[in-house]
Amino acid sequence: MSKFEEGERVLCFHGPLLYEARCHKVNTEGEVDLYLIHYNGWSQKWDEWIPETRILKFNDTNLKKQAELIKHHKKTQNRGKNKKLKFIENVESEDAFSAKVCVQIELPSQLKLAVLDDWDLITQQRHLLKLPAALPVSVVLDEFRVYSLSVNKTSDTNRDHVLEGLLGYFSRLLGMQLLYKFERPQYADTMEEHRGVSVCDIYGTEHLLRLFTRIGELLAFTELDNNAISVLQKYIHQLLSFIELHRGKYLSSENYFVATPDYLRRAAL
């Protein structure tokens, strides 16, 4: 029996904070129950299927937890250092947050299919990606930089800043938000084996695409003006077009392998 019901009022983790939401549908067909969540006051484009680990009952105890997280988040952001993209000082209401989010990243159709295939291979078919990737994120972005330079015949500091920022985001978010639960034992093993190596030099395009499915919501916590947003969108979409054009090189079913029985036991713990 599922823990939450259709139509139930709940609190859901979205990034580091809890937001009021409502459970619209329940899917119990897979190994893990999934819930279609609508965040109150947000556009339907933010509706998403999430596991129960990101959902809490709507009660006084969890409302107190929500307030504590907001308080902690404000303190953390005020202490933040080394921010090229300055984080906002005050946590916004859901309506204000929704209104602020205007970074729309649309994946090309073939890359959308690649993201879905990736989800299926990892979560349903119990495959893993070969690590380190033959073409890690750092190489993909560098090859895009070279390609862009050859096309435009000129250097572009805005492009280079965007690519540098993407490397930073990927490094910080990979372990926290870009892995499926099934991949976490592999992540722990890989980080132990390759101590001191950036995840940008280990993980590849499949995980980079996962970043682009979430980057719009993550950038809502920054003080980007409209011009900066336009620049960001421009180069991310150029990068996505480049990846789609060369998807045979960067995305392949040969990048995956079937997890061993020993790994399956560890992942089930």
Side-chain angles (χ1 to χ4, degrees), residues 229-243:
I229 288 172
S230 296
V231 171
L232 189 65
Q233 288 174 307
K234 172 185 174 182
Y235 289 110
I236 289 179
H237 284 129
Q238 286 184 7
L239 172 59
L240 289 170
S241 295
F242 170 77
I243 293 173

Side-chain angles (χ1 to χ4, degrees), residues 8 35 37 54 61 81 85 122 124 137 219-220 258 264 267:
E8 183 175 350
Y35 302 85
I37 294 298
R54 282 180 54 191
T61 299
K81 296 180 180 179
L85 295 176
I122 299 293
Q124 305 301 305
V137 168
L219 289 171
V258 179
L264 291 173

Side-chain angles (χ1 to χ4, degrees), residues 82-83 87 165 167-177 199:
N82 192 27
K83 295 292 189 288
F87 284 90
L167 287 172
Y169 265 104
F170 190 83
S171 295
R172 291 192 293 272
L173 296 174
L174 186 278
M176 296 186 296
Q177 300 192 40
V199 295

Side-chain angles (χ1 to χ4, degrees), residues 3-266:
K3 185 175 180 180
F4 302 96
E5 300 178 353
E6 292 185 7
E8 183 175 350
R9 188 182 185 187
V10 294
L11 292 170
C12 295
F13 281 99
H14 198 284
L17 302 177
L18 280 167
Y19 295 92
E20 184 177 340
R22 193 167 296 276
C23 177
H24 277 193
K25 293 182 181 179
V26 181
N27 185 336
T28 59
E29 296 180 359
E31 295 182 13
V32 177
D33 290 349
L34 294 175
Y35 302 85
L36 180 61
I37 294 298
H38 173 73
Y39 297 94
N40 292 0
W42 296 28
S43 167
Q44 287 185 345
K45 68 186 178 183
W46 298 107
D47 291 4
E48 59 178 341
W49 288 95
I50 63 175
E52 66 180 38
T53 52
R54 282 180 54 191
I55 310 174
L56 297 177
K57 291 288 186 180
F58 191 92
N59 55 37
D60 290 342
T61 299
N62 291 329
L63 285 170
K64 182 178 179 181
K65 181 178 180 67
Q66 179 190 38
E68 291 173 349
L69 287 172
I70 291 174
K71 182 178 180 180
H72 175 73
H73 183 74
K74 291 168 71 174
K75 289 182 178 179
T76 301
Q77 298 308 323
N78 287 338
R79 291 197 303 265
K81 296 180 180 179
N82 192 27
K83 295 292 189 288
K84 287 192 174 182
L85 295 176
K86 183 182 178 184
F87 284 90
I88 58 174
E89 296 179 355
N90 299 309
V91 176
E92 301 166 299
S93 67
E94 292 174 13
D95 288 342
F97 179 89
S98 181
K100 185 180 180 67
V101 176
C102 50
V103 182
Q104 300 297 321
I105 304 300
E106 182 71 19
L107 268 66
S109 59
Q110 292 300 317
L111 297 189
K112 287 181 181 178
L113 292 175
V115 170
L116 291 174
D117 288 342
D118 175 56
W119 174 85
D120 181 70
L121 284 165
I122 299 293
T123 67
Q124 305 301 305
Q125 299 186 44
R126 294 303 194 237
H127 286 50
L128 291 168
L129 281 154
K130 298 174 183 177
L131 298 176
L135 294 169
V137 168
S138 58
V139 171
V140 175
L141 297 190
D142 191 55
E143 290 187 351
F144 167 70
R145 180 186 291 108
V146 172
Y147 170 82
S148 180
L149 181 60
S150 69
V151 171
N152 298 314
K153 308 298 182 183
T154 182
S155 60
D156 189 331
T157 56
N158 284 334
R159 178 201 58 222
D160 293 344
H161 287 159
V162 168
L163 295 180
E164 182 181 351
L166 289 175
L167 287 172
Y169 265 104
F170 190 83
S171 295
R172 291 192 293 272
L173 296 174
L174 186 278
M176 296 186 296
Q177 300 192 40
L178 303 182
L179 297 173
Y180 296 117
K181 182 180 178 181
F182 185 67
E183 296 174 294
R184 292 204 168 276
Q186 182 193 36
Y187 171 76
D189 293 344
T190 302
M191 292 299 97
E192 177 67 22
E193 182 180 353
H194 299 278
R195 287 188 178 185
V197 180
S198 169
V199 295
C200 296
D201 296 321
I202 297 174
Y203 285 81
T205 306
E206 293 84 2
H207 289 85
L208 180 62
L209 292 182
R210 296 183 202 176
L211 173 64
F212 291 135
T213 66
R214 305 204 61 186
I215 197 168
E217 66 195 56
L218 297 170
L219 289 171
F221 291 100
T222 66
E223 289 185 334
L224 293 176
D225 58 28
N226 290 334
N227 181 62
I229 288 172
S230 296
V231 171
L232 189 65
Q233 288 174 307
K234 172 185 174 182
Y235 289 110
I236 289 179
H237 284 129
Q238 286 184 7
L239 172 59
L240 289 170
S241 295
F242 170 77
I243 293 173
E244 183 181 40
L245 180 65
H246 302 281
R247 63 184 181 276
K249 176 180 180 180
Y250 297 122
L251 298 165
S252 171
S253 60
E254 295 182 1
N255 295 340
Y256 297 83
F257 67 95
V258 179
T260 65
D262 178 64
Y263 185 90
L264 291 173
R265 286 191 291 270
R266 293 174 57 206

